[in-house]
Amino acid sequence: MSMLAAFFISQVAKDAAGIAGNIFAFGLFLSPIPTFRRITRNGSTEMFSGLPYIYSLMNCFICLWYGTPLVSRDNLLVTTVNSIGAVFQSVYIILFLMYAEKEKKVRLLGLLLAVLGIFAIILIGSLQIPDIEMRRDFVGFLSCASLISMFASPLFIIKLVIQTKSIEFMPFYLSLSTFLMSTSFLLYGLFNDDAFIYVPNGIGTILGVVQLILYFYYESKSRKESGEPLMVSYA
């Protein structure tokens, strides 16, 4: 196989993995919809927190910026998935602000302004770095750290599932979407030889596998227990 043919196949495989990652990401972006249906129906945010959406917005901003040609080469599909993610998170934050109590609303607005301010500093600061490779490394390390911390957040849910021996708090489709999206971008990063993409998504893939194993283990165990015959007394 010629070098040109190998390069072409690698590019096609990379683009296919990136497109798949964009599609699977919709599962994650759509997962809060049941929560917001409840919020809009009840007219209150109740005990729900707006922090996950603020944090996700920050993560999308940093990764979006990393994917642009001003920072890294040939990462358009990273920009597209995070642009869509930023739109979803923005809509969720707006809805949360509409129904939140005054104290929650003020706190969330303060955090939103802080996120916008931090991102502006990262954006302007990185543009002051004249060397494109140094700029890529600077933003890449930030995006990598942000992704790793985001993928580490399910550790709490994993611990809860093991403690309670219940999958009630770990929706199957959310775990599946996390696994599929992480695996897609793991392959995308490998084909693009980009450690800032394949390292955090490799961690996300491992955690996704752990979640799916736990889901099927406790789901089958629960089905087996519920299927056991009741004790019959012949006295």
Side-chain angles (χ1 to χ4, degrees):
M1 185 184 295
S2 67
M3 290 285 290
L4 184 61
F7 175 77
F8 177 74
I9 292 171
S10 177
Q11 285 295 110
V12 170
K14 185 201 76 171
D15 291 341
I19 291 168
N22 275 252
I23 294 169
F24 294 136
F26 271 94
L28 291 177
F29 299 151
L30 296 174
S31 61
I33 285 180
T35 297
F36 281 92
R37 278 182 181 164
R38 175 173 170 175
I39 287 172
T40 52
R41 184 174 64 246
N42 296 339
S44 169
T45 56
E46 301 175 22
M47 298 300 290
F48 293 111
S49 171
L51 285 176
Y53 313 109
I54 290 286
Y55 183 75
S56 294
L57 181 65
M58 183 68 183
N59 179 70
C60 286
F61 278 159
I62 296 174
C63 294
L64 184 162
W65 179 231
Y66 176 73
T68 61
L70 288 170
V71 177
S72 64
R73 293 184 297 272
D74 202 19
N75 271 324
L76 179 62
L77 290 168
V78 172
T79 301
T80 55
V81 69
N82 285 288
S83 298
I84 296 167
V87 171
F88 271 95
Q89 302 311 318
S90 298
V91 170
Y92 294 143
I93 290 168
I94 290 168
L95 286 172
F96 199 92
L97 288 169
M98 286 172 60
Y99 293 99
E101 297 172 1
K102 186 177 179 180
E103 187 179 342
K104 270 188 181 180
K105 193 175 294 187
V106 171
R107 191 184 310 124
L108 197 66
L109 275 172
L111 289 170
L112 179 59
L113 290 173
V115 162
L116 294 174
I118 292 168
F119 178 65
I121 291 169
I122 293 170
L123 191 150
I124 296 168
S126 59
L127 287 174
Q128 304 308 307
I129 303 172
D131 184 75
I132 187 68
E133 289 302 319
M134 286 183 64
R135 185 189 303 166
R136 175 181 173 273
D137 289 346
F138 171 69
V139 181
F141 277 116
L142 290 176
S143 67
C144 189
S146 180
L147 277 169
I148 288 173
S149 59
M150 186 186 77
F151 284 133
S153 59
L155 288 172
F156 170 76
I157 301 299
I158 290 171
K159 181 182 176 183
L160 189 63
V161 169
I162 294 171
Q163 286 179 337
T164 61
K165 295 179 173 55
S166 169
I167 54 173
E168 180 185 356
F169 303 103
M170 191 173 68
F172 171 72
Y173 288 109
L174 183 58
S175 299
L176 181 62
S177 297
T178 300
F179 167 70
L180 292 174
M181 187 197 73
S182 300
T183 303
S184 297
F185 277 106
L186 165 63
L187 294 173
Y188 177 90
L190 288 171
F191 284 124
N192 206 29
D193 193 25
D194 193 329
F196 295 126
I197 295 176
Y198 68 70
V199 168
N201 282 287
I203 294 171
T205 299
I206 293 168
L207 290 173
V209 169
V210 171
Q211 288 181 70
L212 290 173
I213 289 171
L214 285 174
Y215 181 90
F216 286 116
Y217 174 75
Y218 285 111
E219 194 268 345
S220 62
K221 193 174 181 182
S222 174
R223 198 187 319 122
K224 184 178 178 181
E225 288 175 356
S226 64
E228 288 179 355
L230 295 174
M231 187 179 292
V232 180
S233 172
Y234 294 95

